[in-house]
């Protein structure tokens, strides 16, 4: 396979988690895949399979890995503001208002410009009118919106999302999934989202990477050839869902 | 919410009633001769002396002098405690280097410093302010260090992922995040500083509440001694309340 022209290239990625009192843990081994610019990739896997670690490594938050991660021709060594990260927990600073939380992550530009940037991004995630609210006054869904706004405000080319809707109730989750697609359409980011919710993956992704358990390996990469507006109850949707689900069914040995 | 306010009021009333009850029992015991008035003056005697000392303003003057000293020493402790605490708390290296020194110095009560402090600084104001400083400094220092060291690393990652400049990181993240702990330190330290002023004045002073107590002791005026003691208690409580209000205002996000 020739990967040279790929936007994101992950090749022979291997991550060992060193532990003090136990043997070192091999989190994943020989992971290779490529992502095109503008693609929406979902990574699904069981809990503890290393999918979040894979995302952290790819975004540069965790630089202790073997193998290659090349984004736009550059090897990933540390976080970069061209890559936004939506954390699993909202991680908002409770002492700052919504607006200040988002503004905190901007470290360049002038005051006026940044103010405008924050305003635009809060509007985009549907938080207009909540600028001066404190995190404790927000619902889980709202807090997660701020988390997304914070990841987007530096206009990243790639957005990494680590189980962003995992802690939300089903209805809020569906609402935010829809909004995420709207955001993607407007901002044209490349997106990589980790989830254990197969339905979520089928709803959002262009391609789904299915990870198997410890050490994680790629079991399958599924193309989701569905129209842009996806009907969860449609036959095609359910077909793909079932296809992925079979990887996680309990097998008797 | 309503119920909580209601309960708070009841607890407050109950505590006042308990206080009054103790005073009444004390009164009865004194008036009926159960308590020797030389060993423990009656509330009536204390009350009379208290009013006398209020009218000639001597009580307020002594309290004012003591408070002035505390504020000086305490402010020094706050500034030094927070600055050093931030430096130590931010660096794993400095923390391990200074840990043993701090742990050894901390348990030494300020009173034990008195001989050295008087030798170095004499019996003037400086030595008293320094003792108050010692009384507050370590409490603040340790709380600041702990507050910073236990900041959630997940929150720190948000900042480091976008390469936040150091000063912005310290002032917008580290200090606010450690603020609840810092405030605990500030409140405890104000109490210990206040205790120290009395100890300092008991040893060498010609003014202040501590002096008032030790002077009254020489003349066997136990009523004045008790007035001094109660003043210390009341002022300590009031100062804590002021800091508590300040905390609620500054740390509104935390309540």
């Amino acid at each position: 396979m020739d990967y040279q022209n790929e936007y994101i290239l992950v090749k022979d990625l291997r991550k060992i988690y060193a532990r003090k009192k136990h043997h070192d843990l091999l989190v994943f081994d020989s992971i290779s895949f490529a992502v095109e610019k503008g693609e929406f990739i979902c990574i699904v896997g069981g809990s503890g399979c290393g999918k979040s670690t894979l995302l952290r490594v790819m975004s540069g938050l965790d630089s202790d890995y073997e193998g290659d991660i090349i984004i736009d021709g550059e090897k990933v060594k540390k976080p970069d503001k061209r890559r936004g990260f939506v954390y699993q927990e909202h991680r908002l600073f409770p002492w700052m208002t919504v607006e200040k939380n988002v503004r905190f992550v901007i470290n360049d530009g002038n005051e006026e410009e940044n103010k405008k940037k924050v305003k635009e991004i809060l509007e985009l995630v549907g938080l207009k009118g909540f600028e001066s609210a404190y995190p404790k006054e927000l619902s889980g869904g709202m807090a997660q919106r701020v988390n997304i706004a914070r990841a987007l405000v530096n206009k990243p080319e790639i957005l990494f999302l680590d189980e962003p809707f995992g802690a939300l109730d089903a209805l809020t989750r569906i609402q935010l999934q829809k909004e995420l697609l709207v955001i993607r359409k407007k901002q044209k980011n490349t997106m990589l989202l980790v989830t254990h919710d197969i339905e979520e993956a089928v709803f959002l992704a262009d391609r789904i990477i299915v990870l198997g358990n410890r050490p994680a390996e790629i079991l399958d990469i599924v193309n989701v050839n569905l129209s842009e507006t996806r009907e969860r109850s449609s036959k095609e949707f359910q077909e793909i869902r079932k296809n992925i689900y079979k990887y996680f069914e309990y097998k008797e040995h | 919410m309503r119920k909580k306010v209601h309960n708070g009021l009841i607890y407050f009333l109950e505590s006042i009633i308990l206080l009054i009850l103790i005073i009444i029992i004390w009164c009865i015991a004194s008036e009926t001769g159960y308590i020797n008035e030389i060993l423990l003056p009656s509330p009536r005697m204390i009350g009379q002396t208290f009013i006398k000392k209020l009218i000639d303003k001597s009580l307020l003057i002594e309290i004012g002098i003591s408070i002035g000293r505390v504020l000086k020493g305490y402010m020094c402790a706050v500034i030094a405690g927070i600055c050093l605490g931030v430096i130590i708390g931010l660096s794993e290296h400095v923390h391990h280097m200074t840990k043993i020194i701090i742990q050894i110095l901390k348990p030494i009560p300020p009173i034990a410093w008195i001989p050295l402090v008087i030798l170095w600084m004499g019996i003037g104001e400086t030595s008293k302010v320094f003792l108050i400083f010692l009384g507050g400094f370590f409490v603040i220092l340790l709380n600041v260090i702990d507050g910073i060291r236990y900041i959630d690393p997940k929150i720190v990652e948000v900042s480091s992922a976008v390469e936040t400049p150091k000063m912005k990181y310290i002032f917008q993240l580290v200090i606010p995040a450690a603020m609840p702990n810092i405030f605990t330190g500030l409140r405890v330290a104000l109490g210990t500083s206040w205790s120290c002023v009395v100890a300092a004045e008991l040893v060498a002073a010609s003014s202040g509440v501590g002096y008032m107590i030790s002077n009254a002791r020489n003349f066997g005026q136990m009523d004045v001694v008790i007035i001094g003691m109660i003043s210390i208690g009341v002022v300590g409580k009031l100062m804590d309340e002021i800091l508590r209000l300040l905390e609620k205002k500054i740390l509104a996000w935390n309540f």
Side-chain angles (χ1 to χ4, degrees), chain A residues 56 78 91 95 104 107, chain B residues 157 162-163 168 172 252 255:
Chain A
R56 289 176 58 81
K78 59 184 183 63
R91 298 194 186 183
W95 57 90
F104 179 85
N107 286 319
Chain B
E157 192 177 61
V162 292
E163 293 176 322
K168 180 176 169 186
Q172 292 192 31
F255 286 95

Side-chain angles (χ1 to χ4, degrees), chain A residues 56 61 78-79 87 89 91-96 103-107 134 136 150 154, chain B residues 154-155 157-165 168-169 172-173 176-177 252-255:
Chain A
R56 289 176 58 81
L61 285 175
K78 59 184 183 63
Y87 303 96
E89 332 77 16
R91 298 194 186 183
L92 298 180
F93 303 163
W95 57 90
M96 285 183 180
R103 224 153 106 184
F104 179 85
V105 299
I106 311 177
N107 286 319
Y134 281 88
K136 66 168 180 181
R150 193 171 51 181
N154 282 319
Chain B
K154 289 179 172 173
I155 274 184
E157 192 177 61
V158 171
S159 164
S160 55
V162 292
E163 293 176 322
T164 308
K168 180 176 169 186
Y169 167 66
Q172 292 192 31
L173 196 155
W253 55 267
N254 198 34
F255 286 95

Side-chain angles (χ1 to χ4, degrees), chain A residues 138-195:
Chain A
L138 303 177
S139 66
M142 298 271 220
Q144 213 49 17
R145 282 191 168 97
V146 185
N147 191 3
I148 294 171
R150 193 171 51 181
L152 283 172
V153 75
N154 282 319
K155 307 252 179 258
E157 291 157 20
I158 308 168
L159 193 62
F160 295 91
L161 304 103
D162 183 9
E163 294 190 46
F165 313 134
L168 305 177
D169 64 89
L171 294 176
T172 313
R173 192 183 314 163
I174 288 171
Q175 178 64 29
L176 279 177
Q177 286 165 1
K178 286 183 191 158
E179 289 179 24
L180 186 63
L181 289 178
V182 174
I183 289 169
R184 181 213 181 186
K185 220 172 160 182
K186 282 189 191 157
Q187 307 273 310
K188 317 240 181 293
N189 320 82
T190 305
M191 298 218 181
L192 283 106
L193 182 143
V194 155
T195 181

Side-chain angles (χ1 to χ4, degrees), chain A residues 11 21 133 199 242 247:
Chain A
K11 209 176 163 201
K21 287 183 183 161
E199 194 181 287
K242 247 187 256 168
Y247 288 107

Side-chain angles (χ1 to χ4, degrees), chain B residues 23-201:
Chain B
I23 294 173
I24 289 175
I25 292 169
W26 182 4
C27 273
I28 294 171
S30 294
E31 300 299 322
T32 52
Y34 269 104
I35 296 177
N36 183 346
E37 290 211 336
I38 295 167
L39 296 180
L40 184 65
S42 70
R44 195 156 48 88
M45 261 172 75
I46 294 171
Q48 280 164 354
T49 316
F50 177 70
I51 288 165
K52 206 179 89 204
K53 280 197 156 296
L54 267 191
I55 290 169
D56 70 8
K57 295 202 179 82
S58 60
L59 179 63
L60 289 180
I61 290 170
E62 305 295 4
I63 291 177
I65 289 170
S66 293
I67 291 178
R69 282 178 186 142
V70 167
L71 288 183
K72 277 187 217 154
Y74 179 67
M75 284 324 291
C76 295
V78 170
I79 294 166
I82 292 180
C83 291
L84 279 175
V86 169
I87 293 169
I88 296 172
L90 278 175
S91 156
E92 197 66 18
H93 191 136
V94 180
H95 173 248
H96 284 294
M97 201 168 72
T98 53
K99 204 160 79 181
I100 292 173
I101 300 175
I102 293 172
Q103 283 169 349
I104 290 174
L105 286 178
K106 190 195 70 162
I108 302 172
I111 301 171
W113 282 86
I114 287 178
L116 272 186
V117 169
I118 288 178
L119 190 67
W120 295 341
M121 303 175 186
I123 54 169
E125 281 302 294
T126 330
S127 60
K128 291 178 197 69
V129 172
F130 184 71
L131 285 170
I132 296 158
F133 164 80
L134 281 177
F137 173 68
F138 286 104
V139 179
I140 297 175
L141 182 72
L142 287 171
N143 274 283
V144 175
I145 294 174
D146 277 356
I148 291 174
R149 286 177 55 78
Y150 294 121
I151 295 176
D152 185 356
K154 289 179 172 173
I155 274 184
V156 175
E157 192 177 61
V158 171
S159 164
S160 55
V162 292
E163 293 176 322
T164 308
K166 193 91 182 167
M167 281 298 136
K168 180 176 169 186
Y169 167 66
I170 291 174
F171 285 103
Q172 292 192 31
L173 196 155
V174 172
I175 291 179
M179 217 43 177
N181 268 324
I182 294 178
F183 248 102
T184 306
L186 292 184
R187 274 180 53 198
V188 178
L190 188 57
T192 50
S193 292
W194 182 232
S195 321
C196 282
V197 74
V198 177
E201 288 170 351

Side-chain angles (χ1 to χ4, degrees), chain A:
Chain A
M1 238 187 299
D2 179 24
Y3 278 132
Q4 292 311 307
N5 300 318
E6 302 295 348
Y7 180 52
I8 301 176
L9 168 64
V10 176
K11 209 176 163 201
D12 299 329
L13 195 64
R14 180 181 155 95
K15 163 87 186 166
I16 295 166
Y17 185 61
R19 294 185 296 184
K20 268 185 190 155
K21 287 183 183 161
H22 303 272
H23 291 293
D24 289 352
L25 186 75
L26 183 60
V27 187
F28 44 73
D29 198 2
S30 56
I31 300 258
S32 298
F33 61 92
V35 180
E36 279 171 40
K37 195 163 188 157
E39 237 186 334
F40 198 135
I41 302 284
C42 281
I43 301 167
V44 297
S47 56
C49 80
K51 56 190 190 303
S52 289
T53 310
L54 176 61
L55 204 68
R56 289 176 58 81
V57 166
M58 286 182 69
S59 68
L61 285 175
D62 184 342
S63 56
D64 177 26
Y65 64 88
E66 293 163 36
D68 287 316
I69 302 165
I70 291 158
I71 295 182
D72 225 358
E74 260 176 70
K75 197 171 157 102
V76 173
K77 288 190 190 110
K78 59 184 183 63
D80 190 304
K81 68 176 192 131
R82 286 172 298 175
R83 302 189 284 272
F85 201 98
V86 177
Y87 303 96
Q88 196 169 350
E89 332 77 16
H90 62 67
R91 298 194 186 183
L92 298 180
F93 303 163
W95 57 90
M96 285 183 180
T97 60
V98 166
E99 196 216 351
K100 288 201 173 124
N101 260 290
V102 177
R103 224 153 106 184
F104 179 85
V105 299
I106 311 177
N107 286 319
D108 48 18
N110 67 44
E111 199 68 355
E112 270 310 295
E113 237 172 73
N114 293 343
K115 216 171 173 173
K116 219 180 104 206
K117 262 195 214 167
V118 173
K119 192 169 169 263
E120 280 170 10
I121 223 74
L122 285 176
E123 234 164 87
L124 179 72
V125 298
L127 280 173
K128 203 180 166 184
F130 289 91
E131 292 85 353
S132 49
Y134 281 88
K136 66 168 180 181
E137 298 163 332
L138 303 177
S139 66
M142 298 271 220
Q144 213 49 17
R145 282 191 168 97
V146 185
N147 191 3
I148 294 171
R150 193 171 51 181
L152 283 172
V153 75
N154 282 319
K155 307 252 179 258
E157 291 157 20
I158 308 168
L159 193 62
F160 295 91
L161 304 103
D162 183 9
E163 294 190 46
F165 313 134
L168 305 177
D169 64 89
L171 294 176
T172 313
R173 192 183 314 163
I174 288 171
Q175 178 64 29
L176 279 177
Q177 286 165 1
K178 286 183 191 158
E179 289 179 24
L180 186 63
L181 289 178
V182 174
I183 289 169
R184 181 213 181 186
K185 220 172 160 182
K186 282 189 191 157
Q187 307 273 310
K188 317 240 181 293
N189 320 82
T190 305
M191 298 218 181
L192 283 106
L193 182 143
V194 155
T195 181
H196 56 251
D197 180 346
I198 296 169
E199 194 181 287
E200 178 168 278
V202 180
F203 185 76
L204 294 170
D206 298 323
R207 280 192 300 152
I208 299 171
I209 296 175
V210 185
L211 282 188
N213 252 338
R214 247 173 251 154
E217 47 173 359
I218 296 179
L219 298 178
D220 197 0
I221 298 182
V222 180
N223 283 308
V224 185
N225 293 316
L226 294 174
S227 64
E228 213 169 285
T229 46
R230 293 173 188 180
E231 204 55 62
R232 286 168 207 265
S233 53
S234 75
K235 204 173 142 240
E236 296 82 0
F237 191 103
Q238 290 302 326
E239 199 64 38
I240 298 172
R241 192 178 153 270
K242 247 187 256 168
N243 259 337
I244 297 170
Y245 189 73
K246 68 168 193 269
Y247 288 107
F248 300 105
E249 272 173 344
Y250 179 67
K251 293 183 200 93
E252 266 180 88
H253 295 289

